[in-house]
Amino acid sequence: MTLPDVVATVPALRERVASWRGRGERIALVPTMGALHEGHLALVRRGRREADRVVVSIFVNPKQFAPSEDFAKYPRAAERDRALLEGLADLVFSPAPEVMYPAGFCATVSIAGPSAGFEGALRPGHFDGVATVVSKLFIQVAPDVAIFGEKDWQQLQVVRRMVRDLDLPLAVIGHPIVRDEQGLALSSRNAYFSEEQLAVARRLNGILRETVAGLGAGDWPAKLAAARQAVAAAGLGPVDYLAVVDGETMEPRDEPSGRPARLVAAIRLGPVRLLDNMPVPG
Ligand code: PAF
């Protein structure tokens, strides 16, 4: 097994990508902010199935954090991340902030539509930061496919919309949420939980699964109200949102519309906002 090489500049990245392209190889990109866990590794394995080469970007993107958020203390573990990618990724692209955003940088990519509401409302500017860095990564790496986790469902819809609207020449693949043995969606921020908080956090999955099962019988507003009560009774909360949305546009739904729908939730627990989502059957 070999450790992936790490490049920190765009010319070095492009040189490697060009050599693969010259051999007719397909390239997958897995964008990350590091502090890798099994969820990220599942994305990288998916990348291996979809392409000949996998580039993992590791960049804690300052533009998607509000000043009040955890940018400074977001977990960083470069050597550990590289070791986890041994035999899985071909290349790690890990630019310094001044490489991604050189002095004078003043571009913003802003995608309306699915950015509105939910995370977009609670974290103003967040999706502009995501769209800006992801579009830069797409241009820098020029992959055939990019793999994103479905855990950040709204982010995935924003990226899909951006690729469609800007005619970016790549396919975006959403990969199912990876959960621990008790159903908690894996996240780098789970590292902030105490043992007690982790036990409480693990109750969310069961509540969402029961809610989704109940939605089949109709009366979505009552089912969502019951879910909020169950969340509080489980010691979770406050609830930032717990809603059914159109699976693509992120518009709220209170009854079936004939289009794919998604139950989305953001629940606060101690230092973490727990994000989770599930498809609504039918
Ligand atoms: O999901 C993430 O880790 C980030 O939002 C992403 C897509 C790497 C952009 O910084």
Side-chain angles (χ1 to χ4, degrees):
M1 295 281 206
T2 42
L3 285 172
D5 287 342
V6 180
V7 292
T9 66
V10 178
L13 167 71
R14 287 194 167 136
E15 195 183 312
R16 292 296 293 270
V17 171
S19 75
W20 297 330
R21 285 245 173 264
R23 298 202 284 267
E25 294 178 329
R26 274 170 59 80
I27 291 141
L29 168 66
V30 180
T32 82
M33 298 203 301
L36 302 182
H37 51 65
E38 205 33 61
H40 295 110
L41 301 185
L43 304 184
V44 180
R45 287 189 199 100
R46 179 71 183 267
R48 291 226 76 84
R49 296 202 293 277
E50 302 287 340
D52 304 298
R53 300 286 178 176
V54 182
V55 178
V56 176
S57 62
I58 297 183
F59 180 64
V60 184
N61 174 30
K63 289 198 182 290
Q64 68 188 75
F65 290 77
S68 59
E69 292 181 347
D70 57 343
F71 174 70
K73 75 172 178 114
Y74 193 85
R76 288 162 172 86
E79 281 314 307
R80 185 180 164 277
D81 286 349
R82 187 173 177 224
L84 285 172
L85 293 170
E86 182 172 10
L88 284 180
D90 295 283
L91 190 66
V92 171
F93 176 47
S94 183
E98 57 276 17
V99 167
M100 193 58 92
Y101 303 122
F105 184 91
C106 56
T108 301
V109 178
S110 192
I111 307 298
S115 291
F118 306 101
E119 292 306 300
L122 289 155
R123 306 180 67 188
H126 171 69
F127 286 125
D128 284 1
V130 170
T132 301
V133 81
V134 170
S135 57
K136 286 203 62 155
L137 288 166
F138 286 173
I139 291 164
Q140 290 162 339
V141 179
D144 298 281
V145 291
I147 324 284
F148 290 81
E150 288 186 348
K151 186 172 95 50
D152 295 302
W153 184 261
Q154 190 173 8
Q155 167 174 280
L156 177 60
Q157 305 322 309
V158 170
V159 171
R160 286 193 193 286
R161 187 77 254 172
M162 176 177 84
V163 165
R164 229 173 293 146
D165 287 359
L166 301 182
D167 300 318
L168 300 178
L170 74 153
V172 174
I173 294 177
H175 190 76
I177 296 177
V178 179
R179 301 178 181 277
D180 73 7
E181 60 291 344
Q182 286 158 74
L184 177 66
L186 298 189
S187 162
S188 303
R189 289 187 171 102
N190 291 352
Y192 298 154
F193 280 137
S194 67
E195 278 304 311
E196 295 74 35
Q197 288 168 331
L198 204 51
V200 175
R202 286 183 167 131
R203 296 176 189 151
L204 179 62
N205 177 251
I207 297 171
L208 295 185
R209 276 192 292 134
E210 269 177 39
T211 306
V212 150
L215 290 171
D219 199 357
W220 288 5
K223 301 290 162 39
L224 293 174
R228 284 188 201 99
Q229 278 175 10
V231 162
L236 288 150
V239 174
D240 278 345
Y241 54 81
L242 203 169
V244 181
V245 298
D246 182 286
E248 188 180 316
T249 66
M250 294 300 296
E251 284 160 339
R253 293 276 176 255
D254 56 15
E255 57 185 13
S257 69
R259 285 174 47 80
R262 201 93 186 170
L263 176 67
V264 292
I267 316 282
R268 279 183 268 157
L269 177 64
V272 176
R273 294 177 64 246
L274 274 173
L275 264 60
D276 206 335
N277 66 82
M278 285 180 196
V280 175

